Amino acid sequence: MSDLLALAYPWIKAFHIMAVIAWMAGLFYLPRLFVYHAEQVGQNGATHELFQTMELKLLRVIMNPAMIATWVLGLCLVFTPGIVSWAEVWPWTKAAGVLGMTWFHHWLGLRRKDFLRSDNQLSGRHYRMMNEVPTLLMVLIVLSVVVRF
């Protein structure tokens, strides 16, 4: 199995990067949809239904598959011999960042359910502030992998 992972490493890495880009796009865009939904749409009417459809499709069709692919391909990279040394700090900081991204993804899913029940309690300002979370985690992850501190 490890020979197969080593042979496929460039392909796995390429598809991992593509999955991360798709996942990050969703993590940046969904909170922005929530800002507009909270501030300008309200919790009933045709536009509310339209936003619910957009939010659901983004989460289920793009973000969930991209997150799963990111995790699966990332674990394949981790188990490729000679790629990760767990004696170093960077894999641990990257892992913490990825776990943070996953938490944020699920937090967004819960907030979507709030809109679905017409029970959103958070302001557009709150969603704007939360929209910075994936940026901070991305900085941590990229610096961990590239600088390898």
Side-chain angles (χ1 to χ4, degrees):
M1 180 66 170
S2 63
D3 290 340
L4 179 61
L5 289 175
L7 184 64
Y9 179 79
W11 289 96
I12 295 169
K13 188 175 182 181
F15 284 109
H16 176 69
I17 292 168
M18 289 183 250
V20 169
I21 291 169
W23 189 24
M24 290 300 302
L27 290 172
F28 288 139
Y29 189 51
L30 189 55
R32 181 56 48 185
L33 284 176
F34 290 165
V35 168
Y36 299 131
H37 199 157
E39 290 182 350
Q40 298 177 10
V41 174
Q43 298 191 43
N44 55 39
T47 308
H48 170 69
E49 297 297 324
L50 174 64
F51 266 74
Q52 288 215 16
T53 300
M54 292 188 312
E55 293 157 0
L56 177 66
K57 297 284 185 187
L58 178 60
L59 189 64
R60 290 220 179 129
V61 176
I62 296 171
M63 292 174 65
N64 285 348
M67 179 187 67
I68 292 166
T70 297
W71 268 95
V72 169
L73 295 166
L75 289 172
C76 287
L77 294 173
V78 164
F79 291 122
T80 303
I83 299 301
V84 176
S85 169
W86 292 98
E88 298 177 48
V89 174
W90 75 267
W92 298 101
T93 56
K94 179 185 178 182
V98 173
L99 289 171
M101 287 280 196
T102 304
W103 169 85
F104 186 69
H105 179 109
H106 290 288
W107 182 84
L108 290 172
L110 292 172
R111 300 299 66 82
R112 191 197 67 77
K113 288 180 181 179
D114 291 344
F115 281 107
L116 183 65
R117 291 188 309 267
S118 296
D119 190 34
N120 174 54
Q121 302 295 317
L122 301 177
S123 67
R125 182 174 186 273
H126 188 95
Y127 288 119
R128 271 191 195 86
M129 290 182 351
M130 290 304 288
N131 201 26
E132 301 308 317
V133 169
T135 302
L136 297 172
L137 292 170
M138 177 195 61
V139 168
L140 174 68
I141 291 166
V142 170
L143 289 176
S144 296
V145 173
V146 174
V147 178
R148 293 193 176 208
F149 46 78

